[in-house]
Amino acid sequence: MRAIDNILQAIGSTDLIELHRVVPEGSARILLKMEGQNPTGSMKDRMALAMVEAAEKDGRLKPKGTVVEYTGGSTGVSLSLVCAVKGYPLEIVTSDAFSQEKRDHMESLGARLTLIQSDSGGMTGQLTRDMIAAADKIAARPGSFWTDQLNNIAPLACYSTMADEIWEQTGGEISAFVQSVGTGGSLRGVGSRLRNLGSKTRVICVEPTESAVLSGKSPGSHKIEGVGAGFVVPLWSEDVADEIIRVSTEEAMAMARRLARQEGLFAGTSTGANVVASLALAARLGPEATIVSVMCDSGLKYLSTPLYKQTDPA
């Protein structure tokens, strides 16, 4: 064991764990990348560090400059961690549509929050656009750097590294990679790298049934935090995924609760959606296949939300 210089060095190199009790006999093997092991309990730690360090390197982020971002919470928490360690002020635009735990976590790490009210507590395309407009206004202040996560390609490299971890952990035996889409960066970064490493790996996109815009459906309100922006995100293109699987908020929440009770994995709604989609694919691919998906974050971020406040019998 070794001592690390700071908490940022603890980002990445997360475990891969096999699911058992939620996977029926005759289905493909399903493995989850345990991104809740990152310092803030989220895969977004990788993304936040990549965006800040890329901006430091090319001079867009000056010493003592202010970082600005709009976020459903996890990216904001991760940026709060990175900025706290590196000494940058941070301005976050977020909403009451996202968990109180995430907002409290950001403020505890020193971020300053601007809160945009949602329509009935749900995620919609209009809410995303309102948050972007507010961030744009703040970012116009002198000395500010807007990480602009929906358009920032810097995280693709860190997600390529995540793909290398998955490839090594599976010994290259991976039939499909399944991931829900927020910015699209993780699906695109991990998926493209896995295809380069093994061209037979299928890449599967997961999006909310209620707002299946990537599938060509109308946008709507849903409560799968961190995914389903309500419009086609800039990092998305039709060749990113081989298939799109739609999962409802209700299905995602029910599966997240099952994971906690039957696998001991305490996660959020996007993880539940990933596993629902993985199970559907596993039934089709059969027992010889191996599917890898992502435990995106920790359930500790959702204790005050309907995910764990209104539980159902598992």
Side-chain angles (χ1 to χ4, degrees):
M1 296 180 68
R2 64 183 178 88
I4 59 176
D5 184 58
N6 63 59
I7 192 65
L8 302 182
Q9 293 178 357
I11 295 172
S13 300
T14 56
D15 290 329
L16 198 62
I17 188 169
E18 184 169 358
L19 300 183
H20 295 284
R21 294 184 63 195
V22 302
V23 181
E25 288 188 20
S27 291
R29 185 185 187 204
I30 298 177
L31 307 174
L32 284 189
K33 187 68 165 154
M34 300 290 288
E35 289 297 288
Q37 293 176 342
N38 283 303
T40 75
S42 168
M43 68 183 300
K44 298 295 187 178
D45 289 357
R46 297 178 188 259
M47 174 188 190
L49 183 61
M51 291 191 297
V52 169
E53 290 194 335
E56 288 176 325
K57 185 175 181 179
D58 65 22
R60 288 173 295 158
L61 177 57
K62 308 295 184 184
K64 298 183 180 180
T66 298
V67 176
V68 180
E69 187 55 283
Y70 58 94
T71 171
S74 288
T75 299
V77 172
S78 298
L79 280 170
S80 298
L81 176 78
V82 172
C83 289
V85 173
K86 290 179 171 287
Y88 297 112
L90 175 62
E91 293 274 357
I92 290 291
V93 177
T94 189
S95 172
D96 65 306
F98 312 113
S99 76
Q100 185 66 50
E101 286 87 350
K102 292 179 182 178
R103 286 178 270 152
D104 290 345
H105 199 167
M106 287 185 275
E107 289 187 313
S108 296
L109 288 167
R112 180 177 174 179
L113 270 55
T114 297
L115 197 65
I116 306 298
Q117 292 299 313
S118 65
D119 181 11
S120 303
M123 179 65 185
T124 64
Q126 186 57 53
L127 175 59
T128 303
R129 288 191 272 283
D130 289 345
M131 291 166 61
I132 291 171
D136 188 36
K137 185 175 180 180
I138 295 170
R141 299 171 186 169
S144 297
F145 166 67
W146 183 7
T147 47
D148 193 11
Q149 60 175 315
L150 281 185
N151 294 288
N152 198 322
I153 63 171
L156 296 180
C158 76
Y159 288 130
S160 179
T161 299
M162 182 173 160
D164 288 339
E165 294 173 18
I166 291 169
W167 188 260
E168 181 177 356
Q169 289 167 316
T170 60
E173 296 297 322
I174 172 171
S175 309
F177 174 69
V178 178
Q179 171 64 327
S180 49
V181 167
T183 67
S186 59
L187 184 79
R188 179 171 164 180
V190 174
S192 61
R193 177 61 175 163
L194 287 174
R195 281 173 173 155
N196 289 338
L197 292 168
S199 59
K200 294 183 180 180
T201 300
R202 290 177 57 79
V203 178
I204 311 299
C205 161
V206 184
E207 69 171 340
T209 301
E210 302 93 330
S211 190
V213 296
L214 303 180
S215 302
K217 307 296 183 181
S218 298
S221 177
H222 67 90
K223 294 189 178 181
I224 305 179
E225 291 195 28
V227 306
F231 52 83
V232 178
V233 290
L235 294 181
W236 173 262
S237 62
E238 290 186 359
D239 62 351
V240 168
D242 297 294
E243 181 181 350
I244 300 173
I245 296 178
R246 300 189 290 273
V247 178
S248 71
T249 298
E250 182 179 1
E251 291 173 312
M253 286 188 174
M255 181 53 69
R257 294 168 192 148
R258 282 190 66 194
L259 288 171
R261 294 170 180 173
Q262 296 180 10
E263 302 279 359
L265 299 177
F266 193 39
T269 42
S270 58
T271 302
N274 281 347
V275 175
V276 170
S278 295
L279 286 169
L281 182 64
R284 284 189 270 137
L285 295 185
E288 301 304 313
T290 296
I291 296 168
V292 173
S293 192
V294 183
M295 180 174 168
C296 304
D297 58 11
S298 166
L300 292 172
K301 296 172 178 285
Y302 305 94
L303 286 172
S304 67
T305 73
L307 175 58
Y308 293 115
K309 280 291 187 182
Q310 302 173 11
T311 56
D312 60 358

